[in-house]
Amino acid sequence: MIKKLMFLLSVFYVVTCFGQTYKAIDTADYLQRKEFLKIFSLNNESLIKKSKADYPGKKGSELAKVYKNFEKDFTQKVKDKNFVFNSVFDEKVKSLINGLRKNNSQIPQDLKILIARDNTPNAYCFADGTFVINMGLFNWLNNDDQVAAVIAHELGHKISDHSLKDFISLIDHNQTDRLLVQNIKYDKDNSNKRAFDILKNRIYKNGIENRKQEMQADSLGYAIFKKSSFRPAEFVNTLKRLEDFDTISPRTLKLDTYKKYFSLPNQEFKEKWLKKEDFSLYNYNHYKEKLNKDSVRSHPEISLRVDNLRKIFPELKTEEKDGKASDSFAALEKIARMETLPNFYNSEDYGVGIYTSLQYLQDGEEEKYYRSWLGKCFSKIYEARKNYNLNRYLDRVDPKNQSESYQQFLNFMWNLSLDEIKNIADFYKKES
């Protein structure tokens, strides 16, 4: 009861701050990061020892290398502040996992929760029991039950040891491919095509295996989910909600919005900024894909996943509407929404950050807050343009895969000169 009260008080404190300009979650959590990395390293050492014992010889050594490289990569992400510690999201996730533990003794007790500064609605679990929840889940899903459904799915992966199986498969494929490449070296006839075929077959096989694992995690995840006190229908509702996710918001950014926010006292708006490149001369019908996208896809289509679940669990055939969000979830949803820009900034997605800020400003949300993020993101775009590495932070126009609105935005950004970008950055930085 005391823990629940403390959680509600912490959420209440953050929510009351919305009356003023919102302040992003503090990442000055050096001690917590240091402590987490210490435990993570010790757990990884234990995992390596167990792997060498379970797989003696070369396979165990290769598995140890995989875990060491993974630790090095993940440690750097933690040091780069890609995760927040002791945030208001932690207690909520822990309570949802405890809810799933009801009648599910197979759920590990030593799970360590990390909240990622990532706007995509996703979660994942590592072999050592580190459970990562993206902040985007709270911004995109509609209630506690739906977040619990995603967690249950990932627990399905964890209980099935899919991470370990993936690593073993990777090692086995590497050894097989090494022999095939040796044969190509000795017989160089049509070697380029044969080498590409090896790569293609590897990718296709991985895609097939990953899709199979997703189906397994769905089934086991739902079996866990339905034994707890969450609404069974929300498991399918969650999949359908995730199907609608779009990394770049499909909402239209009106031309008047550009004129409103880029007509500055020291720089008048120029119509030429909105000029769009004509792609009608390009004939994309002649483009031939070397890799089949459906074969490469790691996750099966949501409709197939839903059909598979309904085949195994007939009670899911009945359609139900999404349940109403609890007050605590609604508060976290608001915080996750406000953290969208800090998260984009942290991941160096400065172009998408500007596009998203403009959409929120167009909707009349938190004017002062999002204008300040225009200044921060434009400053980074200016530095990138000045150093000739803008491609790293701003997409190029791709008519086949982008909405009309996002293409218009990219044309606008690429049409700006270096000095014009600096003027915009300076204006919004000074204002904030």
Side-chain angles (χ1 to χ4, degrees), residues 339-378:
E339 289 294 320
T340 301
L341 264 298
N343 292 347
F344 278 139
Y345 191 83
N346 182 72
S347 60
E348 300 185 338
D349 291 319
Y350 307 125
V352 178
I354 292 170
Y355 186 67
T356 305
S357 292
L358 288 170
Q359 287 192 324
Y360 286 158
L361 287 167
Q362 180 175 272
D363 293 342
E365 294 190 35
E366 303 286 343
E367 181 89 7
K368 187 176 180 181
Y369 181 70
Y370 289 114
R371 287 170 76 100
S372 72
W373 281 106
L374 280 181
K376 293 173 185 175
C377 290
F378 263 103

Side-chain angles (χ1 to χ4, degrees), residues 196-260:
F196 180 75
D197 285 342
I198 292 173
L199 172 64
K200 183 169 68 174
N201 290 334
R202 161 79 78 90
I203 293 172
Y204 287 173
K205 285 178 181 177
N206 287 348
I208 292 169
E209 186 57 35
N210 287 338
R211 290 195 294 274
K212 189 191 299 182
Q213 288 183 357
E214 290 302 315
M215 293 286 201
Q216 290 172 349
D218 280 344
S219 300
L220 182 53
Y222 177 68
I224 292 169
F225 188 79
K226 75 171 186 175
K227 287 181 183 178
S228 61
S229 56
F230 299 106
R231 292 176 61 228
E234 292 290 9
F235 201 92
V236 169
N237 290 347
T238 303
L239 289 173
K240 290 181 177 179
R241 182 69 181 139
L242 293 174
E243 186 176 31
D244 296 333
F245 178 71
D246 191 342
T247 308
I248 309 296
S249 172
R251 288 181 302 148
T252 299
L253 196 59
K254 300 173 185 175
L255 297 184
D256 286 346
T257 301
Y258 291 96
K259 295 175 182 178
K260 179 178 179 179

Side-chain angles (χ1 to χ4, degrees), residues 275-292:
K275 185 179 178 182
K276 295 172 70 175
E277 188 174 350
D278 184 8
F279 286 91
S280 62
L281 299 176
Y282 295 79
N283 188 350
Y284 290 99
N285 293 326
H286 294 306
Y287 175 72
K288 185 178 180 182
E289 290 181 299
K290 291 188 176 182
L291 290 173
N292 185 306

